Amino acid sequence: MPATAALAVLEGFDGLPPRDTALHEREGQLSLLHSLLQDSLRGNTRLAVVSGAAGHGKTELLDAFAAQAQGLGVAHVAAAACRAEQPVPFGVLAQLFQSADLPPHISTRVSRLLGQAISSGGSAMPHEPGVIPPRLFHQMGTALHDLVELSQPLLISVDDVQYADAPSLLCLSTLARRRRTAPLLLLLSEHPSPQSASVLLNAELPPEPLSHRVLLPPLSRGGVRALLAARLGDGAAARLADDCLAVTGGNPLLVRRLVEDTAAQGEPFALHAGPRFERAILHCLYRCDPYARTVARQMAVLDDPEYTPLLSRLSDVDPRCLSLTLGVLEETGFLREGAWRHPKARAAVLHEMTPEERATLHTRTGTLLFKNGAPVTAVARHLIAASRIDNDCAASVLLEAAEEGLATGDTALSSNCLSVAYQYGRSEQHRATTTAMLFRTEWRADPRTAARRIPTLLDAAREGHLTGRHVSALVDALLWFGRPEAALDALERMERDAWQRQDVEASAHLQARRATLGLLYPATVYGDGTSAAVLGEERPRWTSSRSQVLSELLRVLQTGPNAASALTAEQTLVTHQLTDETVPSLAAAIDVLLLDGRHASAERWIDTLASVTRKQSAKAWHALFKSLGARLALQRGNPAEAARLAEAALAEIPTGSWGVMIGLPLSVAIEAHTLQGAHHAALAQLQTPTPDAMFQTPLGLRYLTARGRALLGNGQAQPALDDFLAVGELAARWRMDVPAVLPWRTDAALVHLLRGDTARARELATEQLASVRQGQHQVRAVTLRVLAATSPAEERGKLLAHALEAAQQCGNPVVLAQTLHETGRCHQEASQYSKGRMALLRARQLAEECGVQLPARTLPEAPRGRQPAAVVGGSDELVGILSDAEMRVAALAVRGHSNRQIAAKLFVTVSTVEQHLTRVYRKLGIKRRSDLTLALHGGDTARTAS
């Protein structure tokens, strides 16, 4: 079609992309190209460079425009430059000539010239057009002029011009500058990069108005939404447009592939980056120049915008081009402000490399960061990713990073650092140190998992390879899992080695572990308990505070709470941070505070340390401190909270991971359930397996005490008594027979009372009372209450008064409720109904607040006919219902007295007696005198029967 006819058609064209194309937001660019085509059809040569990042639709735009131009009758010859053919001279022109319908004589001439060009400049680089002989360059230019003359109007398009050979570009540039009045439009597309800028600059393209640059920007939010709506619908498009734009940067290719991955997941649509998106990332990356791929790989490995400027110090990164290339990657939609827009984009780049390439890059990056003062954790992450090290410096970095990971709670980082460091294995001591640190890391999450390293640590201890603070790991594990003999053997061996090496740090840690051994396993120190002195009475002056607090706890267990021990505990908690090595000492310090009744201080420290263990991801230690919190709740008279905390602690790590320490939460849970009257729950906890070695520890005594109370509450008196007596025997053997800590005598006395052996019960209670020191209010209240139950009625009231006074000072509402309960009953027996009713009501109120079940009567059962009047069935509930006068009348009526006899005994009229009985019947819900006995004995049963 002649140029004038094509121009007439074009002037009526709307400039919109064809309906079958996937172009969005490219109407302005097409309109500009149509304007340039109009100019060319008027006889003005024009040149346009379409510039846009990979995936922005340059090729689609060229194809769509070329199709429209051909529809107008414009001849079109096209070429697509290729990186591999860039050194071939006139390679692009060869494609143009091949796509044109040339006469045979011109085609033959062009083929001959191309052959000469290859033979003369086959090794020419893109930036070296001068190697082509000038005559040959002139002849190729002439052939190109002939092509223009033969095909008018003509559209010449070259895709990916940044890869075009320099001779071809110079010929095209010369054509545009010399043939300014031809119906010719030259259309080039380029991917912006430092290389493409250099190529076009060397091509000497003509200035405006002959040449124009057509930019393809990323899609706007509206464009992204339109693409989404076309596939997912308007609702999903409105909801996902912002996120899609953030992930892709508006790159049309990435948007389409992301939409395809999302659609494949089905409704309801949620943005999903899958394999299509990853392939699109790699497609765009390979459309970039090799230098951009190098930078993208480095960025994928580095993955930290803070250190991006350091990339310029790598040998294969050009500092002058780095910022330009980062801009290209941003425009392509890979990066945003130096960070990857989506992890799948980074993952695609990483997976495109071979494992060896990734390892090499990570090693180089780690070295670069280390030399420039980056934190050891940042360096270590690259050494971990490389999965190999080959020098002592790298091993030291990994060990230091592992320490920091433990301090911050990043146990995964610590474990990975230590695993790589262990593989290096520069020496046996290095392996021993790494094993000890791996043990500590694994112990935090699950001691049973860490225990598999005990044999290796035992071998290291025998060979003398454990040094410094790492000596404590083995001893802690052996003590925790009930192997005191092995712990003592390892301890003595490592103490000798530390002395010979003059390893002061190891000696201090071993000293603390020796104190832990004596505390947890008293039999290793005292044997049968016949001759040993109290441990800790003569400590050497150089004893560390960590060892001292362990000795102070043992002192408390052996002599009872005291202010000096509590002060040492407070000082230890203030001066020591929580680490794997200080956990035993800090837990012991809290135990001292609990035994001394310093609940507020203990609560503060438990909360603080539990918070630290959460941040450090130390589940085992968190469970330990939560167990101490459960004990605190129990001592404060809150068994429901105690049971909750204890069971939460037990659930935090597997049962088999607790070792002998399971006695702590388990004893609290059992005792708390028993106090609440939840005997089935208590018995269920008794089914939890416990190691035999637990009964060699003070925790075993606590467990036996709790088990005995649970069995007694379930009516199993003899097994309960066996447990209480076992506690007494072991406590005496270990010099721990301290009522304030283990009141086993009153527990046993209760069993004897139930059996009617009042004399033995009184003997035990009296013996315990003699050992109670001033200020030990709780054990004094309990002991006096039991002693009162064994005493004659005339002594009982006085003993209970003293017990109540002590109970009010001990701070435990459960003990107060139980003491008030016994006091109220005592008042009833003495016919002091008003006082008794008040005491029983207060006891019931406290019991309800604490969620505990008040105990059955402590007094031994007497023959029915010899019971005091007020004791005949006197239900606690009735005390709160009937007045004193009504209770006196009802008690006499139950004993068979007539109304007249009752009136005579109480010095009232018969009418008054009848009125009292009428009110009693109404209050108790009964109708006749015969129901009264059952009502007073059976409560609700009588009312139901009536």
Side-chain angles (χ1 to χ4, degrees):
M1 180 183 296
T4 54
L7 179 62
V9 175
L10 182 60
E11 287 177 347
F13 192 70
D14 61 6
L16 296 176
R19 294 181 180 272
D20 58 349
T21 69
L23 294 175
H24 286 266
E25 296 189 334
R26 299 297 183 243
E27 296 82 1
Q29 289 80 3
L30 276 173
S31 178
L32 176 58
L33 293 179
H34 289 145
S35 297
L36 294 175
L37 180 59
Q38 284 180 330
D39 286 348
S40 70
L41 293 176
R42 293 189 182 99
N44 301 310
T45 299
R46 291 290 181 263
L47 183 147
V49 179
V50 178
S51 180
H56 279 207
K58 299 181 296 296
T59 301
E60 289 177 340
L61 183 68
L62 261 63
D63 291 345
F65 177 72
Q68 293 175 355
Q70 286 178 302
L72 299 173
V74 177
H76 176 223
V77 292
C82 173
R83 187 186 303 118
E85 295 180 356
Q86 196 170 15
V88 179
F90 298 115
V92 169
L93 287 188
Q95 292 186 56
L96 294 177
F97 286 127
Q98 290 169 4
S99 66
D101 186 14
L102 297 175
H105 68 283
I106 296 180
S107 178
T108 301
R109 175 159 57 93
V110 168
S111 297
R112 177 174 51 79
L113 292 174
L114 289 173
Q116 293 177 9
I118 293 174
S119 61
S120 62
S123 61
M125 295 305 294
H127 58 281
E128 298 175 349
V131 298
I132 303 297
R135 181 181 178 85
L136 181 58
F137 187 86
H138 173 73
Q139 290 175 331
M140 288 299 295
T142 302
L144 187 59
H145 278 268
D146 292 341
L147 174 63
V148 173
E149 290 294 334
L150 291 171
S151 307
Q152 292 190 2
L154 178 62
L155 169 64
I156 298 176
S157 66
V158 179
D159 200 8
D160 286 334
V161 72
Q162 70 272 11
Y163 299 132
D165 60 283
S168 294
L169 277 179
L170 280 173
C171 281
L172 291 172
S173 174
T174 302
L175 174 67
R177 282 185 279 107
R178 292 181 178 176
R179 294 292 301 270
R180 297 194 175 197
T181 58
L184 170 65
L185 175 59
L186 289 159
L187 187 57
L188 315 176
S189 75
E190 60 138 0
H191 176 79
S193 68
Q195 180 183 2
S196 66
S198 175
V199 168
L200 295 179
L201 183 64
N202 292 334
E204 301 177 6
L205 295 180
E208 292 187 7
L210 267 68
S211 67
H212 296 265
R213 185 168 292 272
V214 181
L215 300 178
L216 297 185
L219 297 178
S220 67
R221 184 185 184 281
V224 170
R225 180 171 176 174
L227 275 174
L228 286 166
R231 185 69 182 270
L232 307 180
D234 292 333
R239 179 166 46 87
L240 301 176
D242 290 331
D243 290 340
C244 184
L245 180 61
V247 169
T248 62
N251 184 311
L253 177 63
L254 298 183
V255 172
R256 291 193 194 101
R257 299 300 173 260
L258 187 61
V259 171
E260 290 172 4
D261 282 333
T262 301
Q265 297 297 303
E267 297 186 19
F269 296 119
L271 215 57
H272 173 71
R276 298 174 181 85
F277 177 78
E278 292 186 24
R279 286 195 294 270
I281 289 288
L282 295 179
H283 173 81
C284 291
L285 185 61
Y286 270 84
R287 294 296 301 273
C288 299
D289 60 67
Y291 181 71
R293 287 205 307 277
T294 298
V295 173
R297 287 180 167 188
Q298 287 285 0
M299 290 293 292
V301 167
L302 182 61
D303 195 29
D304 193 336
E306 180 182 353
Y307 301 113
T308 299
L310 296 180
L311 292 180
S312 61
R313 303 185 185 184
L314 294 174
S315 58
D316 54 353
V317 176
D318 185 353
R320 297 169 299 176
C321 299
L322 177 61
S323 61
L324 294 175
T325 303
L326 290 174
V328 169
L329 295 176
E330 294 244 5
E331 187 178 357
T332 308
F334 292 178
L335 307 177
R336 177 173 54 193
E337 297 179 358
W340 290 91
R341 286 182 174 271
H342 196 278
K344 283 294 184 69
R346 174 176 176 261
V349 177
L350 287 175
H351 295 159
E352 177 263 342
M353 294 183 278
T354 65
E356 183 63 27
E357 288 173 332
R358 285 197 300 271
T360 300
L361 269 181
H362 276 295
T363 300
R364 291 176 59 199
T365 304
T367 303
L368 176 68
L369 295 180
F370 178 75
K371 289 181 178 179
N372 286 275
V376 290
T377 52
V379 177
R381 293 186 191 279
H382 291 286
L383 299 180
I384 292 168
S387 297
R388 65 189 184 195
I389 57 173
D390 57 5
N391 57 78
D392 292 355
C393 180
S396 299
V397 167
L398 288 173
L399 295 182
E400 186 178 348
E403 293 282 8
E404 189 165 333
L406 288 176
T408 59
D410 193 346
T411 53
L413 172 64
S414 297
S415 181
N416 291 332
C417 286
L418 295 170
S419 297
V420 176
Y422 184 83
Q423 296 172 9
Y424 175 51
R426 58 184 177 182
S427 66
E428 289 302 321
Q429 184 172 336
H430 169 80
R431 285 183 177 273
T433 299
T434 307
T435 301
M437 293 180 67
L438 276 168
F439 169 85
R440 288 296 194 195
T441 303
E442 294 167 349
W443 185 277
R444 291 188 174 197
D446 186 358
R448 185 172 54 180
T449 300
R452 73 184 192 276
R453 300 189 185 275
I454 290 178
T456 305
L457 291 174
L458 279 170
D459 291 339
R462 293 189 191 99
E463 298 299 326
H465 297 315
L466 289 175
T467 61
R469 60 188 177 79
H470 302 297
V471 296
S472 60
L474 173 61
V475 181
D476 285 345
L478 295 172
L479 295 179
W480 185 281
F481 284 109
R483 299 173 61 184
E485 295 82 6
L488 182 59
D489 179 68
L491 190 62
E492 291 174 345
R493 186 185 301 274
M494 289 189 291
E495 283 175 336
R496 290 193 297 270
D497 292 339
W499 178 264
Q500 292 172 359
R501 291 193 305 266
Q502 296 186 350
D503 189 341
V504 177
E505 183 183 14
S507 296
H509 283 282
L510 291 171
Q511 183 193 52
R513 292 317 178 262
R514 181 170 284 279
T516 306
L517 173 64
L519 173 64
L520 267 183
Y521 298 93
T524 61
V525 178
Y526 302 107
D528 59 4
T530 57
S531 60
V534 176
L535 184 67
E537 287 184 346
E538 295 181 359
R539 291 187 303 271
R541 292 182 180 179
W542 53 270
T543 300
S544 67
S545 58
R546 282 183 295 150
S547 302
Q548 184 179 355
V549 76
L550 293 163
S551 299
E552 290 294 346
L553 176 55
L554 186 55
R555 182 191 299 278
V556 170
L557 294 176
Q558 293 177 331
T559 64
N562 59 85
S565 296
L567 179 61
T568 300
E570 289 279 8
Q571 291 173 342
T572 301
L573 290 163
V574 168
T575 56
H576 288 84
Q577 291 185 337
L578 180 68
T579 66
D580 297 294
E581 289 75 25
T582 62
V583 166
S585 299
L586 297 177
I590 291 175
D591 209 356
V592 171
L593 296 179
L594 289 173
L595 290 170
D596 197 50
R598 305 197 180 200
H599 295 160
S601 180
E603 180 180 31
R604 184 176 70 255
W605 284 111
I606 288 171
D607 291 344
T608 299
L609 294 173
S611 175
V612 174
T613 56
R614 278 194 299 270
K615 293 177 182 177
Q616 293 184 350
S617 302
K619 292 172 62 177
W621 300 141
H622 187 258
L624 178 63
F625 288 113
K626 185 177 286 186
S627 300
L628 291 170
R631 253 193 79 199
L632 171 63
L634 189 63
Q635 289 184 200
R636 281 180 158 176
N638 190 348
E641 177 68 3
R644 185 190 69 80
L645 289 173
E647 292 180 343
L650 286 167
E652 196 151 354
I653 59 176
T655 301
S657 293
W658 274 98
V660 300
M661 299 303 294
I662 197 171
L664 174 57
L666 202 52
S667 61
V668 173
I670 293 169
E671 186 166 353
H673 286 310
T674 301
L675 282 172
Q676 295 178 91
H679 299 297
H680 289 297
L683 294 176
Q685 289 292 359
L686 290 178
Q687 303 304 311
T688 303
T690 56
D692 293 339
M694 183 188 74
F695 297 99
Q696 303 175 36
T697 72
L699 293 172
L701 302 185
R702 293 179 185 175
Y703 177 83
L704 286 172
T705 299
R707 186 174 72 180
R709 291 172 180 173
L711 294 174
L712 184 60
N714 196 48
Q716 298 173 261
Q718 186 57 49
L721 182 60
D722 292 341
D723 278 348
F724 298 144
L725 295 179
V727 171
E729 180 184 348
L730 290 173
R733 185 183 305 169
W734 298 340
R735 304 295 181 98
M736 295 182 180
D737 192 0
V738 179
V741 180
L742 295 169
W744 65 271
R745 289 176 179 82
T746 45
D747 289 324
L750 288 173
V751 179
H752 288 299
L753 273 174
L754 288 174
R755 291 180 164 183
D757 190 353
T758 306
R760 179 55 181 157
R762 183 176 180 82
E763 180 184 347
L764 287 170
T766 302
E767 185 180 337
Q768 179 162 297
L769 185 60
S771 300
V772 175
R773 297 208 307 263
Q774 185 177 2
Q776 296 176 350
H777 303 297
Q778 180 166 321
V779 68
R780 181 176 297 277
V782 172
T783 307
L784 287 171
R785 190 177 74 235
V786 175
L787 184 60
T790 68
S791 302
E794 58 271 16
E795 297 179 13
R796 195 173 302 141
K798 184 176 180 181
L799 289 170
L800 285 174
H802 290 304
L804 184 58
E805 182 181 352
Q808 288 170 334
Q809 297 181 64
C810 76
N812 189 331
V814 173
V815 174
L816 180 57
Q818 293 170 343
T819 307
L820 282 169
H821 183 67
E822 290 294 328
T823 303
R825 286 184 174 275
C826 182
H827 288 317
Q828 280 186 272
E829 295 169 12
S831 297
Q832 297 174 341
Y833 296 112
S834 179
K835 293 176 66 175
R837 181 171 64 252
M838 291 176 61
L840 288 170
L841 285 174
R842 179 57 179 152
R844 186 179 301 112
Q845 180 184 4
L846 282 173
E848 290 175 354
E849 290 173 358
C850 298
V852 300
Q853 185 181 58
L854 288 172
R857 55 186 296 105
T858 307
L859 293 175
E861 293 292 344
R864 188 74 186 164
R866 302 213 306 251
Q867 290 180 354
V871 180
V872 179
S875 168
D876 292 345
E877 183 182 355
L878 299 183
V879 175
I881 296 175
L882 305 180
S883 68
D884 288 353
E886 291 165 351
M887 281 294 295
R888 285 193 291 268
V889 170
L892 291 172
V894 167
R895 294 175 66 84
H897 294 288
S898 66
N899 289 355
R900 189 173 298 279
Q901 290 171 325
I902 294 173
K905 283 182 175 292
L906 298 180
F907 303 101
V908 296
T909 65
V910 175
S911 175
T912 301
V913 173
E914 292 173 348
Q915 292 174 21
H916 283 321
L917 285 175
T918 300
R919 285 193 292 269
V920 169
Y921 295 162
R922 184 174 64 251
K923 290 180 179 180
L924 297 183
I926 59 179
K927 297 180 180 179
R928 60 188 67 86
R929 196 183 193 98
S930 60
D931 294 333
L932 188 58
T933 300
L934 183 59
L936 291 180
H937 280 287
D940 292 337
T941 306
R943 272 163 267 165
T944 302
S946 64

